[in-house]
Amino acid sequence: MTIADQLLASFSRIAASDGGSLSLIEESAEKIRLAYRPGAEADCEDGVCTLPQAELEAMIRAWLARKAPDLALEIALVAA
């Protein structure tokens, strides 16, 4: 299993929890490029809010820094 596969396995469910998706665009020896399509925005009236994109990206970057610190990460935002 590649680093990109591990990353997707770790974070795809988080993205999907609000109807979003995370997919691999490219993986090379230097970088991983992902596509992120955000899900519906929750209004938090029921006490459950979606994870903001910036926080999801920060979590992914922190994970990648521990697993493969030499890899660069690019995340492209895809319109819903």
Side-chain angles (χ1 to χ4, degrees):
M1 183 178 272
T2 68
I3 291 291
D5 292 335
Q6 292 174 35
L7 189 151
L8 289 173
S10 297
F11 292 98
S12 289
R13 278 188 286 182
I14 295 171
S17 68
D18 68 351
S21 66
L22 196 59
S23 58
L24 181 65
I25 297 172
E26 174 188 358
E27 179 179 19
S28 70
E30 295 85 31
K31 70 180 170 185
I32 293 175
R33 292 184 63 219
L34 301 176
Y36 173 61
R37 184 185 54 77
E41 295 220 7
D43 57 14
C44 298
E45 287 182 14
D46 61 359
V48 179
C49 299
T50 59
L51 184 65
Q53 176 190 350
E55 289 184 32
L56 177 62
E57 187 170 335
M59 290 170 50
I60 293 170
R61 289 187 183 282
W63 182 94
L64 191 60
R66 286 190 313 275
K67 298 285 186 174
D70 294 337
L71 281 177
L73 175 68
E74 292 179 17
I75 300 178
L77 185 60
V78 178

